[in-house]
C-alpha cells in the first residue's frame, strides 16, 4: 500500500508528532507500506511534490514546532475544480491508498472537495483528516484541535509576563490573540491567566462599562481581544482614552499583539499525545479499509456527569486497572 501525509493551514504545534506517528505506526505495523510526505501542504499536492519518509526521517521531531513537511495555503482549492482535479489526479497517479491530513478549517474543506472529486472520478484514494489548528475551530463540539493546547501554553506564559509590567506600572494592556473568527484561544488563555476581560468576535462592547471596570481595579488590567473582533487595538485604545479624558482620569494604556508567538514553539505534551493517538488510530483504520472521514481529538470544555463518591472510592466497581492493551499497542507502534 501507499500512504501519504500532509499538513495544512497554519503550522500548529503537534503537527510533527502527527507526521511521526503516521510514519512510525505504518512502518511498524506493515513495513512493506510506503509512506510519502507531501511537501508544502496543499501546494505540494497540486505541484506533485512528494518525498519518501522512513523511520529515520521523523526521528526526534515529536515536540518540535512547525511542520517538517511545510505548509503553504491554497485557499482557492476549496472552490476551484481544476485545482481539485489536479490534486485528485496526483493522488491517483502516485497510487496513494490513504492521504492523512492534519489541518484547520480551510484544510478540512479542501480535503472534502478533493474527496468529492475523487469519488466522482472513481479514484481509490481515501482521505482521513485530523483537526490541526490553534484556532480550535473545526468540529469543536466533538473535540479540540491539535495545537490548541500548545498555543494556550504560550499565550498563558505571555500573559503572565505582561502582568508583571502591567502590575508594576499600574497599566492597562490591550492584548490581541490569534484565532481567526474563533474566540477559543483568547477565551481559554484569558481564563488560565486570570485576565479581566475577553473581547469576542461580533461582541457589542460596552466601553463605558469596560472603563468603569478598569477604574475600579487597583493595579494591572489585561484585556484580551480576539482576532475576529472588528476593531484594531489602537482604535479600542483611543475609545477608552477618550472616555477617561471625559471622566478626567488618567490610565496608561498599552497594546501588544501575541499573534505568531502563540503559534510557534515546542508542542504541549497533551498535543503530542493527542496527535500521536489520532494518527495511530488512522493508520490502523486504513489497514481496515475505512472510508474517508474526520477524526476528532479529545474534548475541551467536555463536562461529564459527576460520578457518585461511593462508586469512585470502590475499586471493584470503577476502573482502577492497568493500561489498556490498545494503549500498549499504540506505544509499541510508535517506536
Ligand atoms: O488559522 C491559524 C491562524 O494562526 C489564525 O489564527 C490566523 O488568523 C492565521 O492563521 C494567520 O495566518 P498567516 O500565518 O497566513 O498570517
Amino acid at each position: 500500500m501507499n500512504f501519504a501525509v500532509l499538513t495544512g493551514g497554519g503550522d500548529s504545534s503537534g503537527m510533527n508528532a502527527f507526521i511521526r506517528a503516521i510514519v512510525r505506526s505504518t512502518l511498524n505495523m506493515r513495513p512493506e507500506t510506503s509512506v510519502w510526505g507531501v511537501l508544502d501542504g496543499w501546494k505540494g499536492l497540486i505541484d506533485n511534490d512528494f518525498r519518501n519518509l522512513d523511520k529515520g526521517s521523523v526521528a526526534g521531531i515529536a515536540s518540535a514546532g512547525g511542520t517538517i513537511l511545510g505548509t503553504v495555503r491554497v485557499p482557492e482549492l476549496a472552490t476551484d475544480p481544476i485545482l481539485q482535479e489536479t490534486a485528485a489526479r496526483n493522488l491517483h497517479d502516485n497510487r496513494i491508498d490513504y492521504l492523512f491530513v492534519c489541518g484547520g478549517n480551510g484544510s478540512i474543506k479542501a480535503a472534502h472537495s478533493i474527496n468529492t472529486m475523487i469519488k466522482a472520478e472513481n479514484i481509490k484514494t481515501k482521505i482521513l483528516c485530523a483537526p490541526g489548528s490553534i484556532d480550535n475551530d473545526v468540529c469543536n463540539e466533538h473535540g479540540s484541535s491539535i495545537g490548541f493546547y500548545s498555543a494556550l501554553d504560550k499565550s498563558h506564559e505571555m500573559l503572565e509576563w505582561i502582568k508583571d509590567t502591567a502590575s508594576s506600572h499600574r497599566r492597562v494592556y490591550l492584548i490581541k490573540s490569534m484565532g481567526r473568527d474563533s474566540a477559543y484561544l483568547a477565551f481559554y488563555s484569558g481564563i488560565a491567566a486570570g485576565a479581566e476581560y475577553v473581547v469576542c468576535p461580533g461582541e457589542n462592547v460596552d466601553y463605558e462599562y469596560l472603563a468603569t471596570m478598569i477604574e475600579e481595579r487597583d493595579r494591572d488590567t489585561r484585556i484580551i481581544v480576539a482576532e475576529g473582533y472588528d476593531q484594531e487595538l489602537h482604535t479600542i485604545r483611543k475609545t477608552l482614552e477618550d472616555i477617561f479624558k471625559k471622566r478626567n482620569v488618567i490610565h496608561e494604556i498599552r497594546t501588544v499583539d501575541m499573534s505568531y508567538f502563540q503559534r510557534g514553539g515546542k508542542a504541549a505534551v497533551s498535543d503530542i499525545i493527542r496527535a500521536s493517538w489520532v494518527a495511530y488510530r488512522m493508520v490502523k483504520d486504513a489497514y481496515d479499509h475505512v472510508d474517508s472521514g474526520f477524526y476528532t481529538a479529545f474534548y475541551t470544555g467536555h463536562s461529564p456527569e459527576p460520578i457518585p463518591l461511593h462508586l469512585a472510592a470502590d475499586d471493584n466497581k470503577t476502573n482502577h486497572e492497568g493500561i489498556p492493551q490498545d494503549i500498549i499497542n499504540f506505544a509499541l507502534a510508535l517506536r
Side-chain angles (χ1 to χ4, degrees):
M1 284 176 104
N2 281 297
F3 289 169
V5 54
L6 181 154
T7 45
D11 53 338
S12 65
S13 302
M15 285 187 165
N16 282 326
F18 179 83
I19 299 165
R20 174 180 178 274
I22 292 285
V23 174
R24 292 281 169 100
S25 302
T26 300
L27 299 177
N28 280 321
M29 280 187 228
R30 303 223 188 146
E32 69 280 11
T33 311
S34 295
V35 194
W36 302 90
V38 185
L39 301 189
D40 291 332
W42 298 107
K43 181 179 181 301
L45 189 58
I46 294 162
D47 296 346
N48 202 18
D49 212 351
F50 290 67
R51 184 183 95 192
N52 186 255
L53 299 173
D54 59 15
K55 280 193 187 183
S57 54
V58 293
I61 65 165
S63 64
T67 154
I68 60 158
L69 294 175
T71 169
V72 175
R73 287 200 174 98
V74 186
E76 316 79 50
L77 189 54
T79 49
D80 184 338
I82 296 170
L83 293 181
Q84 291 158 15
E85 165 86 34
T86 309
R89 279 283 127 214
N90 287 340
L91 289 167
H92 174 264
D93 294 347
N94 289 300
R95 298 163 188 257
I96 303 298
D97 297 283
Y98 278 88
L99 172 68
F100 303 104
V101 174
C102 184
N105 209 288
S107 285
I108 308 306
K109 288 187 172 57
H112 172 58
S113 309
I114 295 168
N115 191 49
T116 308
M117 183 68 77
I118 281 172
K119 296 260 185 264
E121 300 200 350
N122 252 328
I123 293 171
K124 67 169 182 180
T125 312
K126 309 275 194 319
I127 306 181
L128 306 187
C129 298
S133 170
I134 64 166
D135 303 341
N136 196 33
D137 60 352
V138 194
C139 284
N140 53 16
E141 78 275 35
H142 295 287
S144 49
S145 303
I146 292 157
F148 178 59
Y149 289 109
S150 307
L152 263 183
D153 274 349
K154 312 283 160 24
S155 312
H156 177 248
E157 192 164 14
M158 285 186 270
L159 290 168
E160 293 288 291
W161 291 338
I162 292 166
K163 185 177 184 166
D164 294 341
T165 304
S167 169
S168 309
H169 292 257
R170 291 181 183 256
R171 274 185 193 151
V172 177
Y173 273 84
L174 300 172
I175 307 155
K176 189 159 174 180
S177 169
M178 263 195 182
R180 218 170 53 108
D181 53 2
S182 153
Y184 266 90
L185 186 56
F187 220 84
Y188 274 73
S189 58
I191 293 170
E196 280 61 55
Y197 198 88
V198 180
V199 179
C200 293
E203 186 177 342
N204 185 11
V205 180
D206 181 345
Y207 284 105
E208 294 289 341
Y209 164 79
L210 213 55
T212 306
M213 190 196 78
I214 292 166
E215 280 199 54
E216 283 169 358
R217 289 189 54 77
D218 177 31
R219 286 206 161 268
D220 57 279
T221 305
R222 290 159 304 163
I223 296 169
I224 303 178
V225 182
E227 181 183 347
Y229 182 65
D230 62 1
Q231 285 184 34
E232 295 298 329
L233 294 184
H234 61 87
T235 314
I236 302 172
R237 175 180 175 169
K238 174 86 177 47
T239 306
L240 287 170
E241 280 172 349
D242 288 348
I243 294 173
F244 289 136
K245 206 182 268 171
K246 266 195 266 145
R247 294 187 188 182
N248 239 338
V249 287
I250 292 170
H251 282 285
E252 254 192 310
I253 304 176
R254 295 281 190 276
T255 59
V256 59
D257 188 350
M258 297 193 284
S259 70
Y260 295 101
F261 297 106
Q262 295 175 287
R263 206 164 75 183
K266 216 173 148 203
V269 173
S270 58
D271 278 331
I272 298 173
I273 299 289
R274 292 179 327 132
S276 305
W277 176 254
V278 169
Y280 162 74
R281 167 78 197 273
M282 284 178 170
V283 170
K284 275 203 314 173
D285 286 359
Y287 286 129
D288 284 339
H289 309 288
V290 292
D291 201 357
S292 299
F294 176 79
Y295 288 65
T296 59
F298 309 159
Y299 289 95
T300 299
H302 180 213
S303 46
E305 288 304 306
I307 298 165
L309 199 50
H310 68 91
L311 272 187
D314 187 342
D315 292 343
N316 294 319
K317 293 209 174 105
T318 54
N319 191 351
H320 182 58
E321 287 167 6
I323 298 181
Q325 189 56 46
D326 204 21
I327 295 181
I328 294 172
N329 296 343
F330 162 54
L332 294 174
L334 259 62
R335 284 171 301 163

